[in-house]
Amino acid sequence: MANIALALEEIRESVTGMDEYIVGIDAASDENSMEPWMFVPAYKIIRSHSHTYPVTKTGKNPETFARIQNIGFTYHVGEDSRHIVSGLRHVDEVLEGFGYKAGDRLGHALVLGTDIEKWMADNEAVPLPKLEHLENLLWMWGTNTCCGLELPVKLEVLENRIMDLASEIYGHSESLNVRMLYHAYQKKFDPDHEKIIQKLLDEEKREQQKRGMYERADDPSIDRTLEEKCYGTWTEEKLLMTNYCPLFENRHSKIELVPVQGDDAEVYKALQNYLIDKVEKRGIYIEENPTSNLTIGDFSHMRQHPIFNLNSRKGEGHNVFVTVNSDDPAVFNTNVENELAYIYYAAEAQGEAKSDVLEWVDKIRQYGMDASFIQNEKSAEQILAEIQQILWEIGKMEFF
């Protein structure tokens, strides 16, 4: 569980090192090596009602309380993924697994505004770790089967692809089925992995002792596969355990070349629109950083920036809350004023009337003001007192 512990420590440092007036948490990682599920325990703990309180005492009167502002969430995701489905899946995992609600933010999330046709034209095939490919397929299956999104895909074909890949990874697959694999994937977002795995180990030990067969898993005299020696019949919990097993870590990371086929375009577009609608309806903000995005993103001109696909200038299409930010001003030699100007000129270059562009840019600017985690109606002293109490509660927690 070293990766999860590392993620939790990164979160702890970002929270306990906050400036006295900050009331939010912002985390980022190498998206391809530390996926969102590794951060779920920290985010859930920080917003858990068992660790945080909606009110605090004020003044000398013990019966006088004031409401505490909830800690706002920001997580950087959907910016640098190997496959477009991976990026879309990661965004959905943050929304669902972290308990996002109105006012929380996604950092960058460029995948939501990516031109699908262009991405497919630029990528004939994508090398993916087998587990990443499997979880992409499982997420697609789940959104279609469990979330009410009717994808333009033959379900039988998708299920066959899932089972073929699962057989390659998990070996004996007689006890596997797609629904079990999907539920095991969802269990990655349960914050209590340690308890689940310890319970499973205790049960297995008791069962082996009861049968009088407490054998070593590596006993060469027993003619069984290593998977059977260690795991026996598959369950959701045992599939979860493979995420911490060196044998399966090697299998998970084995690369497979995944072709990008023309028929997949409509599937990817449906998934992208599904997520954009979810972000828009839930009132989630997306932080865009034009200069940074252009430098490291998958587009070559500011006119192609995803912000134009996420928030319509003419009142048609999507109307996601997007904000314009500077990312790291020292690295990219910019500020918010410059970033707004870049977006303005990019919009004007597309033939829009200057007055319309100015009105649209002002709307985006206002989104940035509205998205602030700091509520102006509270004094600096009140905010500081709330933050100190929250940090004190977090400091008492034992992550692992």
Side-chain angles (χ1 to χ4, degrees):
M1 297 188 180
N3 284 341
I4 291 184
L6 178 62
L8 291 171
E9 184 58 30
E10 184 174 332
I11 294 289
R12 183 195 286 272
E13 289 177 0
S14 67
V15 174
T16 55
M18 290 191 300
D19 182 86
E20 61 185 27
Y21 299 123
I22 295 178
V23 288
I25 179 170
D26 188 333
S29 69
D30 180 347
E31 187 172 346
N32 291 318
S33 60
M34 292 189 70
E35 294 197 344
W37 69 273
M38 299 178 182
F39 288 83
V40 165
Y43 272 81
K44 284 195 171 181
I45 285 172
I46 290 171
R47 188 165 278 178
S48 170
H49 290 168
S50 63
H51 295 295
T52 59
Y53 304 93
V55 295
T56 184
K57 293 180 180 180
T58 59
K60 297 181 179 180
N61 188 342
E63 298 182 357
T64 303
F65 295 86
R67 182 165 293 278
I68 291 179
Q69 179 183 347
N70 212 341
I71 291 181
F73 282 176
T74 302
Y75 187 80
H76 294 247
V77 68
E79 179 188 15
D80 185 27
S81 52
R82 282 179 279 253
H83 194 286
I84 195 163
V85 176
S86 302
L88 293 170
R89 171 169 63 87
H90 293 160
V91 169
D92 200 31
E93 289 171 351
V94 170
L95 295 176
E96 300 298 335
F98 287 27
Y100 259 48
K101 60 185 182 180
D104 289 331
R105 307 173 187 167
L106 297 173
H108 305 287
L110 297 177
V111 69
L112 295 181
T114 295
D115 184 327
I116 299 292
E117 299 287 354
K118 181 181 182 301
W119 181 86
M120 295 187 68
D122 293 341
N123 295 274
E124 294 183 3
V126 179
L128 285 182
K130 284 184 179 291
L131 182 63
E132 182 175 332
H133 186 201
L134 176 61
E135 292 187 340
N136 285 349
L137 297 178
L138 287 169
W139 176 69
M140 290 169 58
W141 182 88
T143 57
N144 185 91
T145 306
C146 306
C147 301
L149 175 64
E150 188 172 345
L151 291 173
V153 62
K154 292 182 179 179
L155 200 58
E156 182 179 354
V157 174
L158 179 58
E159 290 178 345
N160 286 338
R161 291 167 64 189
I162 289 172
M163 291 306 301
D164 288 343
L165 192 53
S167 296
E168 295 177 19
I169 295 174
Y170 300 113
H172 65 291
S173 58
E174 297 79 8
S175 57
L176 290 174
N177 59 68
V178 176
R179 191 168 293 275
M180 178 192 294
L181 291 163
Y182 178 68
H183 288 163
Y185 155 67
Q186 287 189 309
K187 280 187 180 295
K188 294 178 76 170
F189 302 92
D190 187 315
D192 294 322
H193 284 195
E194 189 174 43
K195 292 180 181 178
I196 294 172
I197 293 174
Q198 189 58 54
K199 180 181 178 181
L200 184 63
L201 291 172
D202 291 343
E203 290 175 353
E204 181 65 18
K205 184 176 180 178
R206 286 194 298 268
E207 182 63 24
Q208 289 181 340
Q209 289 175 333
K210 182 179 179 181
R211 295 194 309 262
M213 297 170 55
Y214 196 68
E215 62 192 28
R216 289 182 55 181
D218 58 352
D219 188 343
S221 67
I222 301 175
D223 186 19
R224 292 190 294 158
T225 65
L226 187 55
E227 302 97 315
E228 291 173 318
K229 291 177 184 178
C230 295
Y231 295 92
T233 301
W234 285 116
T235 65
E236 295 169 12
E237 290 75 16
K238 290 179 180 179
L239 289 168
L240 175 66
M241 186 186 289
T242 64
N243 291 286
Y244 304 99
C245 174
L247 167 68
F248 285 97
E249 183 177 3
N250 290 333
R251 295 187 183 183
H252 292 167
S253 59
K254 188 175 181 179
I255 299 299
E256 177 168 332
L257 197 60
V258 180
V260 176
Q261 301 170 333
D263 294 343
D264 293 333
E266 295 307 313
V267 177
Y268 299 163
K269 289 177 182 178
L271 290 167
Q272 187 184 56
N273 283 320
Y274 163 74
L275 281 176
I276 295 174
D277 287 342
K278 180 184 287 191
V279 168
E280 184 175 350
K281 290 175 181 177
R282 293 192 181 184
I284 306 298
Y285 286 85
I286 297 181
E287 298 179 351
E288 302 290 17
N289 305 272
T291 299
S292 170
N293 299 153
L294 183 63
T295 303
I296 61 180
D298 192 24
F299 57 96
S300 57
H301 196 282
M302 198 66 77
R303 292 193 299 269
Q304 300 168 342
H305 196 286
I307 194 172
F308 298 118
N309 295 331
L310 295 174
N311 191 281
S312 172
R313 300 185 300 284
K314 299 181 179 179
E316 302 173 354
H318 298 291
N319 191 28
V320 175
F321 291 147
V322 290
T323 67
V324 170
N325 310 274
S326 59
D327 202 354
D328 191 330
V331 172
F332 296 103
N333 190 29
T334 189
N335 55 40
V336 173
E337 182 179 0
N338 287 340
E339 300 299 289
L340 286 168
Y342 297 149
I343 290 297
Y344 166 81
Y345 287 116
E348 188 183 40
Q350 298 177 50
E352 300 289 338
K354 180 175 293 188
S355 59
D356 293 338
V357 175
L358 283 172
E359 183 178 354
W360 178 74
V361 170
D362 189 59
K363 179 178 69 171
I364 301 301
R365 181 198 61 79
Q366 187 60 47
Y367 286 159
M369 300 295 291
D370 296 339
S372 174
F373 289 148
I374 299 176
Q375 297 181 353
N376 294 329
E377 62 267 22
K378 292 187 178 182
S379 66
E381 290 75 16
Q382 283 181 288
I383 295 173
L384 178 58
E386 292 176 9
I387 291 298
Q388 288 175 336
Q389 181 170 344
I390 291 170
L391 292 178
W392 183 76
E393 292 291 341
I394 292 174
K396 295 190 302 181
M397 298 178 193
E398 294 184 1
F399 291 129
F400 282 112

